[in-house]
Amino acid sequence: MLPDLLVPLGLLIVVAKLLEGLLGRLGLSSIVAYALTGILLGPVFGVVEPTSELQIFLGLGIFVLFFVIGFDEIDVRGFVSIIRGRYFAAALISVAISTAVSLSVTSDIFGLSFSLGLPTTDALALAGVLSLSSLGLVAKVLSDSGQLRERIGLKIFAVVLIAEIMALLVVGFTVGEHAEASDAAAIVRLIAQIVGFVLIAWLLSARVLPAAISLLQRIFDVPQLSFGLLLGGLFLVVVGAERMGLHGSIGALLFGAALSGLPEQVRNDIMPGFRSASEGLFVPLFFASAGLYLDLSFLDQPLTTIVALVVIPLAGKFAGAFIGTFLVRIDVPLTMATGLMAKGVAEVAFLLVMLEQGVIGADVFSLLVLVMLGYMLVMPPLITAAVERARTSKVRVAPHSMPPSFARYALADVRVGSLLDATRELPGPNVTVEELLAEWTVPGHTDYVVASDGEVEGVVSLSRLRRVRRGSRPTTPLRAVMRPCPMAARPDEPISDVLERMAKYAISVTPVVDGPDGDFCGTVATHDVIDLLLLMDEIKPQSD
């Protein structure tokens, strides 16, 4: 009966949003409010039960939620641009140690009596969930405390970005139908299917869909056309993922990540309807469902198992984060490790997926969801306190490039014109390689725009110049080794869009042109953006 479905839906949504407003005044996460809604209406008062009809809406909520996580938190281009050097090494060590330690509890690989003894793939999936870090939570905490624009904020953001994507790769490969793959040929075939799906989904999402949306919006005057196309496309991608051996939630995550690089203007055009539906309906229902499934059955587990599930992954996560940042000599490893302890919505979402698949029982699910909610309550003030107490080295060391997603969080509404460098002299095409290396290089800059008489000639990179033989450098002009500049920026563009394109073309500097004729008026470099972001107070009022 329709009323039998609408009554619990209405109660869950109304109570969830009211509790969100109430607990928000106390500084508590909306996710806590939604989960508490499910607990109150389910186990406590018995008003709502997770019926099969209700599960349809809750299942949709899973896919919408993972799409939003991919869209807001997964910055693949930023990941690629900083997967070198110390920050990548720190994140890799952190995730590897954390996952290995968590495996001691989720599997019997180490032969410990308190372990859950899950099959290898299931145990690895759960260990990956316990090793996740939340970029969204870290960004919000740093932003609220005013630390997102500090050097320590950029460092934490960069390491958490890499660590989150690494852990998601572990979970994504181990959650799905592949657990049934028992021989090498089946595993290879599955991997090929997953790679094929990822490539096709990425091509459609990043190349075809944005252009198609823009074209259809110009042709048809249909309200919320883009919202309908995105929502329908999401469900089709979910089905495709399921048929390729991935869980549908991973397909939704990849779909969101593929669209996360959309220009800011396009994002602003297509996302309001989607966010309204997700934040007003699907996400509250999803996390309320987590509360509906909570019970005290975990108390039937041996005390050693309960303590191990709570303490060992926590200790392993912190130890891995601290060891990783300490070994690679990143400043304030204790603060960096604290930042990596952030937990957000993805963990609870994956736990519900694993409960739905029968990987874990209600007892383990209930205990770990309560642990994750505890993380959400405790970690924000701890991260804030750790960052405020941090004393960083006077030596200015930052990631080689700025993740584009960092710009979306920290440089909202900042335009290229605010960061334009119109005073720097640029080498001409007749400058030799030796002259540029000796006289024109600037610390931290790896690419240089070549210009002549106010016209952009091309761009050269230090790595390419250093491959020129030493004996030829005094006589080799830049025009012989430069390449065409793949892009140019406009002063009125959002800086986040420009950084997205710079990451796409793997360059760290771009010319800025203005006017109908594209008159050259200066440059913007990634390193300049970082310096301005971290050291100049002048840009702060623009994004407050």
Side-chain angles (χ1 to χ4, degrees):
M1 296 288 292
L2 187 60
D4 294 335
L5 172 62
L6 295 181
V7 169
L9 279 177
L11 286 174
L12 287 171
I13 295 171
V14 169
V15 175
K17 299 308 287 185
L18 290 177
L19 274 180
E20 179 184 3
L22 179 62
L23 297 185
R25 296 191 174 188
L26 303 176
L28 299 179
S29 167
S30 60
I31 307 305
V32 176
Y34 301 155
L36 182 59
T37 297
I39 294 172
L40 291 176
L41 295 181
V44 175
F45 295 111
V47 177
V48 177
E49 295 182 359
T51 62
S52 58
E53 293 83 2
L54 186 59
Q55 287 303 314
I56 296 176
F57 285 89
L58 301 181
L60 293 176
I62 290 178
F63 304 136
V64 173
L65 174 65
F66 274 99
F67 172 83
V68 173
I69 292 173
F71 192 83
D72 283 341
E73 296 194 25
I74 307 304
D75 177 9
V76 176
R77 288 178 184 162
F79 174 80
V80 172
S81 70
I82 56 178
I83 56 170
R84 59 184 183 273
R86 299 186 302 160
Y87 293 88
F88 177 77
L92 179 62
I93 294 171
S94 171
V95 173
I97 293 177
S98 176
T99 303
V101 171
S102 295
L103 272 173
S104 69
V105 184
T106 61
S107 73
D108 57 4
I109 190 170
F110 298 110
L112 301 176
S113 60
F114 52 73
S115 67
L116 297 177
L118 296 175
T120 303
T121 52
D122 294 343
L124 185 57
L126 185 56
V129 171
L130 297 174
S131 301
L132 274 170
S133 300
S134 172
L135 184 66
L137 180 62
V138 165
K140 185 178 187 308
V141 170
L142 294 175
S143 179
D144 291 346
S145 64
Q147 299 289 340
L148 189 57
R149 296 181 189 168
E150 300 295 331
R151 187 169 300 278
I152 184 65
L154 176 54
K155 290 181 177 181
I156 293 174
F157 189 96
V159 175
V160 173
L161 166 64
I162 300 172
E164 181 180 41
I165 294 181
M166 285 181 176
L168 282 172
L169 290 174
V170 173
V171 179
F173 181 72
T174 50
V175 172
E177 298 176 2
H178 57 275
E180 300 176 2
S182 57
D183 55 38
I187 293 175
V188 171
R189 187 166 54 250
L190 175 68
I191 293 175
Q193 289 178 324
I194 292 174
V195 171
F197 167 78
V198 171
L199 292 177
I200 294 173
W202 194 269
L203 177 64
L204 292 175
S205 303
R207 301 295 183 185
V208 178
L209 190 57
I213 289 175
S214 299
L215 177 63
L216 292 173
Q217 283 180 327
R218 289 196 298 268
I219 296 175
F220 302 110
D221 184 18
V222 178
Q224 297 297 323
L225 173 65
S226 57
F227 170 71
L229 292 174
L230 271 182
L231 193 59
L234 168 62
F235 296 151
L236 293 176
V237 168
V238 165
V239 174
E242 295 279 0
R243 292 182 177 177
M244 291 293 185
L246 285 169
H247 191 273
S249 59
I250 302 301
L253 185 79
L254 293 172
F255 186 59
L259 292 174
S260 65
L262 290 175
E264 184 177 318
Q265 183 175 353
V266 178
R267 291 165 62 96
N268 293 338
D269 288 341
I270 67 176
M271 286 308 293
F274 203 96
R275 289 195 184 281
S276 296
S278 63
E279 295 176 8
L281 174 62
F282 292 116
V283 174
L285 282 177
F286 171 77
F287 284 104
S289 72
L292 291 177
Y293 285 109
L294 286 182
D295 57 35
L296 299 178
S297 59
F298 64 86
L299 295 177
D300 295 332
Q301 289 277 0
L303 181 60
T304 53
T305 300
I306 296 174
V307 174
L309 276 172
V310 174
V311 174
I312 291 181
L314 169 67
K317 176 74 172 171
F318 188 81
F322 181 82
I323 292 171
T325 52
F326 178 79
L327 287 180
V328 301
R329 301 180 181 276
I330 295 180
D331 281 343
V332 289
L334 185 62
T335 302
M336 300 292 291
T338 304
L340 280 162
M341 296 297 293
K343 294 288 186 182
V345 299
E347 291 83 354
V348 179
F350 276 121
L351 288 172
L352 195 55
V353 168
M354 298 176 78
L355 175 67
E356 175 192 85
Q357 291 186 316
V359 174
I360 57 176
D363 52 351
V364 174
F365 170 81
S366 298
L367 176 60
L368 292 182
V369 167
L370 291 175
V371 170
M372 296 307 165
L373 294 177
Y375 271 104
M376 293 180 199
L377 292 173
V378 172
M379 289 315 303
L382 288 182
I383 293 172
T384 301
V387 171
E388 289 177 348
R389 291 172 59 88
R391 294 292 182 267
T392 58
S393 169
K394 294 182 180 179
V395 178
R396 294 172 54 190
V397 178
H400 295 287
S401 60
M402 177 185 295
S405 57
F406 182 84
R408 291 201 297 269
Y409 283 109
L411 293 172
D413 300 325
V414 176
R415 304 289 162 172
V416 170
S418 303
L419 307 174
L420 173 65
D421 185 351
T423 61
R424 178 170 297 155
E425 294 186 14
L426 302 177
N430 294 322
V431 172
T432 66
V433 172
E434 184 173 88
E435 287 173 339
L436 187 139
L437 293 175
E439 302 173 15
W440 291 87
T441 55
V442 178
H445 290 244
T446 58
D447 298 299
Y448 296 85
V449 171
V450 180
S452 176
D453 298 325
E455 297 290 334
V456 176
E457 299 283 346
V459 63
V460 294
S461 64
L462 289 182
S463 60
R464 187 169 184 176
L465 295 181
R466 287 167 178 157
R467 288 198 296 268
V468 176
R469 290 180 301 175
R470 289 185 178 274
S472 301
R473 291 177 184 178
T475 58
T476 303
L478 295 183
R479 70 170 68 254
V481 292
M482 69 184 184
R483 58 190 175 101
C485 191
M487 60 168 286
R490 295 273 179 177
D492 59 348
E493 281 191 274
I495 191 64
S496 57
D497 284 359
V498 175
L499 290 174
E500 286 275 4
R501 298 207 306 276
M502 291 167 71
K504 174 183 177 181
Y505 292 113
I507 58 175
S508 61
V509 65
T510 183
V512 180
V513 298
D514 197 13
D517 298 327
D519 298 326
F520 175 69
C521 54
T523 61
V524 168
T526 302
H527 197 276
D528 293 336
V529 176
I530 294 174
D531 283 345
L532 288 166
L533 178 69
L534 302 176
L535 303 177
M536 294 180 61
D537 294 331
E538 285 80 357
I539 69 169
K540 289 186 178 180
Q542 299 182 48
S543 57
D544 289 339

